[in-house]
Amino acid sequence: MSSFNENKSTVIETFWNRPKWRNLTFQLIVVALILAFAYLLISVTKGNLEKQNIASGFAFLDSEAGFEISETFIEYWADDTYRKALWVGLLNTVKVAILGNILAILLGLFVGIARLSPNWLVSKISTVYIEVFRNIPLLLQLLFWYSIFTEVLPPVKEAYRPFANVYVSQRGFFLPVFAEHPIWIWVKGLFGLGLVLTVVASFFLKKYREQTGRIIALWPFFLVLTFVIPLVSWLIGGAPLELDLPKLGGFNFNGGISFSPEYIALLLGLILYTGAFNAEIVRAAIISVSKGQWEAGRALGLSNIQNLRLVIIPQSLRVMIPPMTSQSLNLVKNSSLAVGIGYPDFVSVANTTMNQTGQAIEGVILIMLCYLCFSLSISFLMNLYNRMHRLRERGS
Amino acid sequence: MRVTKNPDKRKLPTVVAVVKWSKENLFSSTLNTIASLTIIFLILKGLGPLFKWLFVDSVWEGTATTCRSSSGACLVFLKEKFVFILFGFYPRELLWRPIVSLILFIGMLWWSKEPRRWSKRLLWRWVKLLALIALLLKGGLLGFESVDTQKIGGLPLTLILAFFGMIFSYPLGIILALARSGNLFILRNLAICYIELVRGVPMISLLFMASVLFPLFAPEGLVLPKLLRAQVAIIIFMSAYMAEVVRAGLSSIPKGQYEAADALGFSYWQKMRLVILPQALKAVIPPTVNTAIGMFKDTSLVVIIALSDLLMTTKTSLKEPKWLGFSTEAYLFVACIYFIFCFSMSCYSRRLEKEFSSRRKG
C-alpha cells in the first residue's frame, strides 16, 4: 500500500522534474491560452460584424472609390476602384520613401562628417542641428513645415519667383520641364541603362585590379555611359529644347512640373528628422575606426579627404549599415504620418477607404501587410549586404 | 581629432588667446576659413530676421487684429492660449490641481535621477506619488471635486501616456526578450513573431486598431475610454522595441555568468533575477532611455485619433477663427516644450553612460 503511494508520487515528481516535459507542458498551456483568446476574439468579432451588417472580405476592393486623390503618379479618376486608389497611395508612399531615404542618407553622411570637423563652428552647428531635430516629434515638425506653406508663403497670384519660370506659393513649387517629345523617353532609358552598366563595369574593374594590380579609373566609363551616350541620342533625336512652362491660369499654375506643399513638407520633415539620426550613426561609425588607421593613412601621405574616402569610410561602413538600415525602415514607417498633413500616401487612402466602406479590419490588415512587406524586403537586402561585406579575417 | 589643451593658455592675455583659439579652430586652412566665413554669414543673415521677428517686431499686448497688422511674432496668442495648450479643457477653477501634479511629478523625476537613490523605498515613494497625482487629476475622493477623464489634456496627458507606456512596456519587454533568447521553442517563436510584427508596422496602424477596430473586437457592453485604448496601443508598440533593447543587454553578458549561476544550482528564474538581469539591464540603460525618448515623442501621434494631448490642444487652439494663421508661434512654443523634455532625457542618458562605463573600468 505504502509502496504504491510512493511509486505514484515519484512518477509525478520525475515528470515535473524533467525540464523537457515541464517546458513542454508550460508551453502548451501558453499556446492553449492564446488559442482560446483568439477563438473568443474571432467569435465576438463575427457576432459584432453580423449585428452591424458589415460583410467581411476584400470584395469591396473592386467597387467604385468615388473620391479624388490630389496627387497621383498614375492616371486615376474618382470612378476608379478602391484597388486602384490604394495602388495610387502605395506609389505615393514609395515616391516619398525612395527620395527621402536617398537625401536623408546624404544629409546624414555630410552632417556626421561635419560634426567631427576640426573647425569649431562647423562641428557646433552640426551638433545643434542634430540635437534640435532629433528631440522634437516628427509629427510636430511636419505640421510646422506644412504651416509655413499655408501661412507664410504667398497665395498663387503673388507667388515668389526666385528664378525665371520657377514659382513658389501656397500651392507648392512649380518648375519648368522639357516639353514632351519621343526622344526624351529614349534619353531617360539610356541614362538608366548607363547607371546599371556603370555598376557592372565597376565590378569588372575591381576584378581586373585584384588580378593584375593595375588601376583603371571608373569615371570615364561613368561619363560615357550615363552622359555622352544619352546626349548623343538626344542630338540624333533633333535636340528638342522646348520647355513646358508653368503658367498662371485660373486658380493655379498649369504646365511644368509641380510639387504639392504636402509632398514638400513631408519630404523635408522626413529628411531633416532621419538625417539627424543618420548623422549620429555616421559619427559613431567613424569614431569606431581605430585611431591607428587615421595615423596610418596620414603616414602614407593621404590628405584628410583621401583618408576619409579610402581608409575610414570603407571600414566604418560595416558599423554604419545595420543601424542605417533600421533608420531607412523608420523613414518608410514614419512616412505614414502623411495622414496628419493630408498627403495621399497609402495610410491616408486606406483611412479614407475604411471610413467610406466601414471595412476597418481589412483596411488595417492592408496597412500592416504593406509595411511588413517593406520591412521584410529591406531587411532581406540588408542581410544580403552584410553577408557580402562581413569582416574577412586573414586566411579565411 | 581632439584638440589638446594648451598648457600655456592661462598665461596669455584674453585677446591674444581668442585670436590664437580662432586661428586654431576656425581659420586653420583655406577650406576652413571659407567654411567658417560662410557659416558666420549665414548665421547673421538667418538670425537677424528671426531676432527681429521674435523680439523687435513682436506683439506683446493687444488683440488678434494688432497682431495681423504687425510683421512680428504674435505673442499675444501665446499669452492667451498658454493655459489651454498646457492643460486642455481642464476646469479653469481647478487648475491648481494639474499644476501641483506636474510640479510633484517633475520634482520626483529630478529627485530619482541619481543612481545612488535607486532602491525599493524609492519605488514605494513613486507608487504613493502616483496615487496622489491620480487623486489630484481625477478627484472624486476626500472632498476633491471629480473631473471628467476626457477633460484631462495637454501636457499632463502627454506625460501620462509616456510614463505609463514606459512602466508597462519595460517589464513586458523583459519577458519578451527572455522568451526570445530562451530555449523554449514555441515561446521563442511566438516572441519573434510578436516583436518582428510590431516593429514592422507603423504606430499609426496600432492606433487605428485601438480607435477603430477595438469596438468591433470587444464584446458588447465593454466600452473602454479612448485614452486607455491608445495607452494600450502605445504599450504594445513600445514593448517590442524594449524587448530588442533588453535582448541586446542579455547577449552582452558573458557566457561564464550563465554557467556560474548554473553551477550554484540556481533555477532559471533565480539565475535571471539574481545574476543575469541586473547586469543586462544596467548595461543597456542608455538605449533604454533613448527608447523612452522615442516613446515620449511618439505619444504625439495620438493626435491622429483625436486625443487631446499637448500637440492636439495646440492644433485645437489654432482652429479658432480669431487666431487662424499663427501656427508658427504655436508650433515653435510646443516644440520648445518637447525639446526641453527630450533633450534633458538624452543628456541624462549620456551622463549615465559615462558614469557606468567609468565605474566598469575601475
Side-chain angles (χ1 to χ4, degrees):
Chain A
M1 185 72 184
S2 70
S3 74
F4 174 73
N5 263 347
E6 228 178 84
N7 210 2
K8 197 178 162 192
S9 72
T10 22
V11 168
I12 295 171
E13 259 171 33
T14 29
F15 177 78
W16 195 239
N17 278 336
R18 283 222 178 126
K20 197 174 144 198
W21 293 114
R22 194 170 53 191
N23 290 344
L24 193 67
T25 332
F26 179 55
Q27 294 190 76
L28 286 179
I29 291 172
V30 173
V31 171
L33 282 177
I34 290 176
L35 286 180
F37 182 70
Y39 173 75
L40 200 71
L41 200 71
I42 290 172
S43 58
V44 168
T45 311
K46 253 190 188 158
N48 283 342
L49 288 178
E50 266 165 32
K51 232 175 280 162
Q52 297 181 19
N53 276 328
I54 302 174
S56 52
F58 288 93
F60 72 95
L61 283 177
D62 288 315
S63 46
E64 190 182 300
F67 57 88
E68 294 281 352
I69 297 179
S70 58
E71 195 162 337
T72 58
F73 215 55
I74 50 175
E75 206 162 292
Y76 167 86
W77 303 104
D79 53 2
D80 278 324
T81 58
Y82 283 115
R83 191 189 301 279
K84 190 144 183 217
L86 287 167
W87 182 239
V88 169
L90 184 64
L91 286 178
N92 278 339
T93 295
V94 171
K95 190 167 99 175
V96 163
I98 291 180
L99 194 59
N101 258 323
I102 293 173
L103 294 176
I105 287 171
L106 289 179
L107 182 67
L109 272 174
F110 181 74
V111 178
I113 293 171
R115 203 180 158 182
L116 292 169
S117 154
N119 187 323
W120 184 84
L121 213 50
V122 172
S123 89
K124 277 290 165 291
I125 290 260
S126 316
T127 313
V128 169
Y129 157 72
I130 292 171
E131 291 302 343
V132 167
F133 283 85
R134 265 195 337 168
N135 286 316
I136 295 172
L138 177 59
L139 186 58
L140 177 55
Q141 293 188 32
L142 293 180
L143 290 171
F144 177 77
W145 295 123
Y146 189 56
S147 80
I148 293 269
F149 265 101
T150 51
E151 290 175 10
V152 179
L153 290 182
V156 174
K157 299 238 155 136
E158 302 151 27
Y160 282 137
R161 227 181 107 214
F163 308 103
N165 293 317
V166 174
Y167 298 94
V168 180
S169 79
Q170 281 181 352
R171 296 287 181 86
F173 286 18
F174 299 89
L175 311 170
V177 280
F178 287 110
E180 256 178 63
H181 190 280
I183 196 65
W184 284 113
I185 298 162
W186 279 94
V187 172
K188 273 185 215 162
L190 284 170
F191 177 76
L193 190 69
L195 279 183
V196 175
L197 285 177
T198 314
V199 174
V200 175
S202 80
F203 180 75
F204 279 110
L205 289 180
K206 195 177 163 203
K207 268 236 158 113
Y208 180 78
R209 193 190 70 212
E210 277 165 5
Q211 278 166 4
T212 63
R214 261 172 285 176
I215 298 172
I216 300 177
L218 182 64
W219 64 265
F221 287 87
F222 178 71
L223 204 66
V224 169
L225 288 170
T226 62
F227 186 71
V228 177
I229 295 180
L231 185 74
V232 169
S233 75
W234 176 71
L235 286 172
I236 293 171
L241 264 177
E242 203 185 327
L243 285 175
D244 185 7
L245 301 174
K247 276 187 204 75
L248 192 62
F251 293 110
N252 208 344
F253 285 97
N254 295 317
I257 189 168
S258 64
F259 297 97
S260 69
E262 291 86 10
Y263 179 67
I264 301 280
L266 180 64
L267 196 63
L268 193 65
L270 285 173
I271 292 169
L272 291 175
Y273 186 74
T274 317
F277 283 92
N278 282 344
E280 272 301 272
I281 292 169
V282 170
R283 186 184 77 105
I286 291 179
I287 289 179
S288 78
V289 177
S290 73
K291 221 175 150 196
Q293 297 288 330
W294 279 97
E295 289 163 356
R298 222 164 283 155
L300 287 172
L302 299 179
S303 74
N304 255 342
I305 290 174
Q306 276 180 320
N307 211 346
L308 264 178
R309 190 170 68 85
L310 298 170
V311 181
I312 306 302
I313 289 184
Q315 293 187 68
S316 54
L317 271 184
R318 207 170 285 125
V319 184
M320 212 185 293
I321 295 290
M324 208 78 139
T325 323
S326 94
Q327 281 307 322
S328 297
L329 264 178
N330 280 346
L331 188 143
V332 176
K333 281 184 278 169
N334 283 335
S335 72
S336 61
L337 293 186
V339 73
I341 56 170
Y343 175 74
D345 80 322
F346 188 76
V347 173
S348 327
V349 176
N351 193 23
T352 317
T353 308
M354 281 196 288
N355 290 338
Q356 284 192 0
T357 60
Q359 307 278 2
I361 299 179
E362 290 82 357
V364 172
I365 288 178
L366 279 177
I367 295 175
M368 289 187 156
L369 275 182
C370 166
Y371 284 93
L372 272 181
C373 286
F374 279 124
S375 307
L376 292 180
S377 47
I378 291 183
S379 37
F380 172 76
L381 285 179
M382 185 191 104
N383 285 340
L384 212 66
Y385 178 90
N386 270 349
R387 215 171 305 143
M388 276 161 61
H389 289 259
R390 64 166 187 267
L391 200 62
R392 292 201 190 93
E393 296 283 331
R394 247 162 293 158
S396 66
Chain B
M1 285 254 136
R2 203 167 294 151
V3 184
T4 43
K5 274 224 172 96
N6 187 354
D8 303 328
K9 213 169 195 174
R10 244 177 283 160
K11 289 175 198 160
L12 295 168
T14 335
V15 183
V16 181
V18 166
V19 170
K20 193 167 179 321
W21 178 88
S22 48
K23 231 182 202 167
E24 272 167 10
N25 291 307
L26 296 180
F27 307 109
S28 57
S29 69
T30 336
L31 199 67
N32 267 338
T33 312
I34 295 171
S36 302
L37 289 178
T38 321
I39 289 175
I40 291 172
F41 174 73
L42 286 179
I43 288 177
L44 289 180
K45 192 128 199 244
L47 282 188
L50 190 70
F51 184 81
K52 197 162 167 252
W53 179 76
L54 196 57
F55 295 107
V56 182
D57 291 344
S58 55
V59 183
W60 290 84
E61 304 284 338
T63 58
T65 2
T66 356
C67 274
R68 276 179 219 287
S69 59
S70 155
S71 61
C74 181
L75 297 169
V76 184
F77 167 75
L78 287 184
K79 255 163 76 184
E80 192 123 315
K81 289 290 172 187
F82 172 78
V83 173
F84 180 78
I85 289 176
L86 283 183
F87 299 107
F89 292 102
Y90 209 85
R92 286 292 168 275
E93 65 280 4
L94 299 175
L95 214 55
W96 66 272
R97 281 162 42 176
I99 294 175
V100 170
S101 325
L102 214 57
I103 293 170
L104 282 176
F105 181 77
I106 293 173
M108 191 64 179
L109 275 183
W110 190 258
W111 161 260
S112 39
K113 79 186 169 60
E114 299 294 333
R116 67 189 153 81
R117 294 207 182 111
W118 296 349
S119 63
K120 275 218 176 97
R121 238 175 80 209
L122 184 71
L123 217 60
W124 273 113
R125 278 193 191 148
W126 266 106
V127 173
K128 281 184 220 157
L129 181 86
L130 289 177
L132 180 64
I133 288 179
L135 176 69
L136 277 173
L137 281 180
K138 182 74 184 76
L141 270 177
L142 301 172
F144 283 102
E145 201 178 318
S146 179
V147 175
D148 191 5
T149 324
Q150 288 185 342
K151 293 224 160 120
I152 300 173
L155 189 57
L157 187 80
T158 295
L159 288 174
I160 286 174
L161 285 172
F163 186 75
F164 284 98
M166 187 70 200
I167 55 177
F168 282 103
S169 66
Y170 194 50
L172 213 58
I174 293 175
I175 291 172
L176 282 167
L178 287 178
R180 187 168 180 175
S181 50
N183 49 12
L184 302 182
F185 179 78
I186 302 175
L187 284 191
R188 190 174 67 220
N189 284 302
L190 281 175
I192 290 177
C193 283
Y194 175 87
I195 293 171
E196 294 305 326
L197 188 78
V198 172
R199 274 160 42 97
V201 299
M203 184 161 151
I204 286 193
S205 59
L206 287 176
L207 286 175
F208 276 151
M209 240 175 157
S211 71
V212 191
L213 295 196
F214 183 80
L216 292 176
F217 289 155
E220 215 171 336
L222 180 65
V223 183
L224 295 178
K226 215 184 207 175
L227 173 61
L228 192 61
R229 285 185 265 151
Q231 181 75 77
V232 171
I234 290 175
I235 292 169
I236 288 177
F237 188 71
M238 275 305 154
S239 58
Y241 285 82
M242 245 356 149
E244 283 302 273
V245 171
V246 175
R247 191 168 73 109
L250 287 176
S251 58
S252 77
I253 303 300
K255 223 173 148 199
Q257 296 289 327
Y258 288 86
E259 289 164 354
D262 285 338
L264 286 173
F266 281 176
S267 76
Y268 176 79
W269 287 109
Q270 280 176 320
K271 176 168 76 177
M272 285 303 161
R273 197 167 53 85
L274 299 170
V275 181
I276 307 299
L277 279 179
Q279 300 180 64
L281 295 183
K282 208 175 219 177
V284 290
I285 281 178
T288 310
V289 179
N290 281 340
T291 314
I293 297 174
M295 170 144 44
F296 186 78
K297 285 184 294 177
D298 279 350
T299 57
S300 63
L301 299 202
V302 296
V303 163
I304 286 163
I305 59 166
L307 265 181
S308 58
D309 79 325
L310 188 55
L311 191 52
M312 193 65 198
T313 52
T314 315
K315 282 188 77 178
T316 313
S317 55
L318 283 168
K319 281 217 183 85
E320 203 177 306
K322 191 174 137 196
W323 296 110
L324 277 179
F326 297 114
S327 305
T328 319
E329 291 88 341
Y331 289 143
L332 282 180
F333 172 67
V334 183
C336 286
I337 298 179
Y338 276 108
F339 179 79
I340 291 169
F341 275 94
C342 294
F343 186 64
S344 47
M345 273 195 273
S346 84
C347 286
Y348 176 58
S349 116
R350 242 169 282 162
R351 204 199 86 189
L352 280 185
E353 194 168 6
K354 224 178 258 168
E355 233 165 71
F356 284 141
S357 68
S358 66
R359 212 179 288 169
R360 224 172 292 143
K361 268 174 205 152

